[in-house]
Amino acid sequence: MGNFRIDRRTVIRGAGSIAIALPFMEIMGEKALAAPDAAKRYITFYTPGGTVIDDWRPKGTETNFQFGSILQPLEAVKSKVMIVDGMNMKVASGEQHIRGLVALLTGTRADDAKNGFSAGPSIDQILAKRLSQGKKFKSLEMAVRWATGKTHGKIHGFNVLNFEDAADPKPIPPRIDPQDIWQSVFGTLVPPGEGTGDAASSQLLMRDKSILDYVDRRYVTLMKKLGAADQKILEAHLTKIRELEKSLSTGVGDASTTCKKPTRVDTSKYNPRTGLNSGDNGEVVDSSTDESIPLVGKFMMDMIVMAMSCDLTGVATMQWSDTEAKHQLPWLKSKGINQHLHYYEHDGGYRPKELAIIHNWYASQFAYLVNALSEVKLGDKTLLDESVLFWGSELSHPADHSNTDMPFVLAGNGGGLRTGRYMKFNGVENNKLLVSLFNLFGDTRNEFGKPGFSTGALNGLT
């Protein structure tokens, strides 16, 4: 074989931009390590009002830690999450809620904005250009019980999390009607194995089979240049490719079982536009709608999971209310919760006991989403293995609206993110975390947001 050598990053290229990675082989060098695949899907999970940091913060070391009472629901998915502690939003400036909501995903200052919202695009919209190319939806933004209190159901700096990737990054209001979301995303969907599909679907299937056939031939050509041991490794890899091609022909297997229409839930008791009638201090109560929040939230998370499983988008946002969150939480009444979140933050005086109960419930919802993604099998991986989730809020300490010690949680193993760990940082800027997220998706930038607030990525995430 002479000096023939293959780089560990080599791929077999098919038509267009299709590339299939090679397995690690001896010819790549004894010390070569397979580079992690870039993450393929990104989800923002937003909860309002920060947390009670002493009850949120874990105890222990990086790999041997115990969750605080608020994060206890994550125990079942502990190996799939990373707790990121000690981050500061030094860039945040402006109104006490708006500044954090803007800085969370853009790394910019609200008071620098030309449009009155954000001075820069949010990370999700930049990633969407890469992750959702060729997909039906660039991104999906969903919100439950949105635009309460003083915003009266209207778009406002108190409730917008996502911003366009443009010179003048206009705010993107979330979709709030669960039935409209289901109809537009899944109403015309024909999952594999459930129908003949249209002409475009048939052409896509034939294209995929053609690509795999071409890759098969390229593998066979490469095989002739390898030693016996590497030939066995490549043959096993080629077998997997042929099995995938067979599944395309028969319409069974992973390709047909992972994409399904999510069950359409009855949300007739939920009024997504009830915020239009809200009172400044939450005095106008819509009991029926508030009682439906857990049902609607789960429905929206299920739709996000299935939209990604069906490859309809690569980017989504799950927003639990706006920063005011002046709605009731009747499902927690048995635990003593009879006011809205903002009341317990400061309207009724700082109430850490009640806040801990509310944020513990939000943690259980994050655990649900993480687990749902982990249950979708993609060959020898799961949807979660190829994804990155970012759970954040607009502030840390609700009593003083401060932006230090931000409560952040990551999940998924996309881009080589090493979960099952508790990472402590000492006052490092939030912008550096955003740079790190970009890097997990193959974007090699070393700065994001307002200049001067990030110089490189965080150490130790991968």
Side-chain angles (χ1 to χ4, degrees):
M1 292 184 290
N3 294 323
F4 180 65
R5 182 71 67 186
I6 300 177
D7 185 88
R8 64 188 176 91
R9 295 182 177 86
T10 299
V11 296
I12 293 292
R13 296 202 172 274
S17 61
I18 299 298
I20 299 179
L22 290 169
F24 172 67
M25 298 179 289
E26 291 178 359
I27 200 167
M28 295 177 177
E30 293 183 357
K31 296 183 180 180
L33 296 174
D37 293 334
K40 297 179 180 179
R41 302 167 191 87
Y42 171 75
I43 300 174
T44 300
F45 186 95
Y46 167 81
T47 57
T51 192
V52 181
I53 199 67
D54 290 338
D55 293 332
W56 176 91
R57 178 174 284 132
K59 292 181 174 60
T61 64
E62 178 181 334
T63 56
N64 183 17
F65 62 92
Q66 298 76 46
F67 288 118
S69 61
I70 287 177
L71 295 184
Q72 274 299 317
L74 301 187
E75 188 65 39
V77 293
K78 188 174 184 179
S79 65
K80 300 176 175 66
V81 301
M82 174 188 287
I83 311 304
V84 181
D85 188 11
M87 302 293 297
N88 290 350
M89 276 187 181
K90 295 182 180 179
V91 72
S93 177
E95 195 280 334
Q96 55 194 7
H97 284 286
I98 297 174
R99 67 190 183 198
L101 197 63
V102 167
L104 182 63
L105 299 182
T106 73
T108 67
R109 285 181 169 169
D111 51 8
D112 287 343
K114 296 178 181 178
N115 58 24
F117 289 89
S118 171
S122 53
I123 181 174
D124 57 295
Q125 293 305 298
I126 297 174
L127 289 174
K129 290 184 176 180
R130 174 192 296 253
L131 303 179
S132 297
Q133 186 174 13
K135 303 185 192 303
K136 184 176 181 180
F137 298 96
K138 179 182 177 182
S139 59
L140 292 173
E141 294 78 32
M142 305 183 192
V144 187
R145 203 56 175 91
W146 183 76
T148 63
K150 296 176 183 178
T151 62
H152 303 292
K154 306 292 181 60
I155 188 169
H156 189 278
F158 284 160
N159 55 41
V160 178
L161 188 61
N162 311 98
F163 298 90
E164 294 176 351
D165 182 13
D168 183 17
K170 290 182 172 56
I172 302 173
R175 303 177 69 166
I176 59 176
D177 187 330
Q179 297 303 325
D180 282 352
I181 295 171
W182 191 95
Q183 185 59 43
S184 66
V185 178
F186 303 102
T188 59
L189 177 69
V190 181
E194 291 188 13
T196 57
D198 55 21
S201 298
S202 299
Q203 290 177 3
L204 183 62
L205 176 63
M206 292 303 297
R207 186 208 68 168
D208 290 344
K209 290 172 65 179
S210 175
I211 288 170
L212 291 175
D213 181 61
Y214 176 77
V215 169
D216 188 319
R217 296 196 300 272
R218 294 289 297 273
Y219 270 120
V220 171
T221 300
L222 175 61
M223 188 95 65
K224 298 175 182 178
K225 301 179 181 180
L226 302 177
D230 282 346
Q231 284 185 6
K232 290 182 179 180
I233 295 172
L234 193 59
E235 179 60 41
H237 196 59
L238 184 55
T239 297
K240 293 293 184 181
I241 299 296
R242 288 167 176 158
E243 288 175 354
L244 178 58
E245 184 174 6
K246 183 178 179 181
S247 73
L248 289 172
S249 299
T250 59
V252 298
D254 291 335
S256 63
T257 59
T258 60
C259 178
K260 306 173 184 176
K261 287 187 179 183
T263 301
R264 194 166 192 173
V265 176
D266 180 5
T267 61
S268 56
K269 295 182 179 180
Y270 179 81
N271 178 7
R273 294 171 180 79
T274 194
L276 292 169
N277 303 311
S278 64
D280 285 1
N281 297 310
E283 65 272 19
V284 179
V285 177
D286 183 343
S287 299
S288 176
T289 291
D290 290 345
E291 288 173 358
S292 301
I293 289 173
L295 174 73
V296 172
K298 180 178 179 295
F299 185 28
M300 287 185 175
M301 288 189 289
D302 287 344
M303 287 193 283
I304 286 173
V305 172
M306 200 47 60
M308 291 193 166
S309 182
C310 294
D311 210 24
L312 298 176
T313 189
V315 174
T317 296
M318 180 65 196
Q319 184 176 352
W320 291 89
S321 192
D322 50 86
T323 60
E324 290 191 277
K326 290 178 178 175
H327 59 77
Q328 298 293 303
L329 303 98
W331 64 94
L332 296 178
K333 275 190 176 180
S334 63
K335 296 185 178 182
I337 305 302
N338 53 25
Q339 291 286 346
H340 54 73
L341 176 65
H342 222 86
Y343 177 88
Y344 297 120
E345 289 179 4
H346 51 72
D347 286 1
Y350 179 53
R351 309 286 186 90
K353 178 182 176 181
E354 288 84 357
L355 288 173
I357 292 171
I358 295 171
H359 291 301
N360 174 271
W361 183 80
Y362 282 134
S364 71
Q365 302 310 294
F366 186 72
Y368 175 85
L369 179 57
V370 171
N371 190 63
L373 290 164
S374 72
E375 290 182 344
V376 178
K377 305 298 182 183
L378 303 174
D380 59 350
K381 293 184 179 181
T382 69
L383 203 58
L384 183 65
D385 291 333
E386 299 182 346
S387 304
V388 174
L389 286 71
F390 175 33
W391 174 15
S393 189
E394 84 280 8
L395 51 86
S396 53
H397 307 284
D400 59 9
H401 295 86
S402 62
N403 302 108
T404 59
D405 292 328
M406 296 298 296
F408 293 151
V409 181
L410 302 178
N413 299 112
L417 181 68
R418 290 191 294 123
T419 51
R421 296 188 296 150
Y422 168 37
M423 302 295 289
K424 294 183 282 188
F425 298 94
N426 185 22
V428 176
E429 296 93 337
N430 172 61
N431 297 51
K432 290 177 71 70
L433 175 58
L434 296 177
V435 170
S436 299
L437 292 179
F438 273 116
N439 294 170
L440 291 174
F441 289 90
D443 186 319
T444 59
R445 72 182 67 203
N446 59 14
E447 188 173 17
F448 179 66
K450 187 174 178 64
F453 284 86
S454 62
T455 52
L458 297 173
N459 293 323
L461 295 194
T462 59

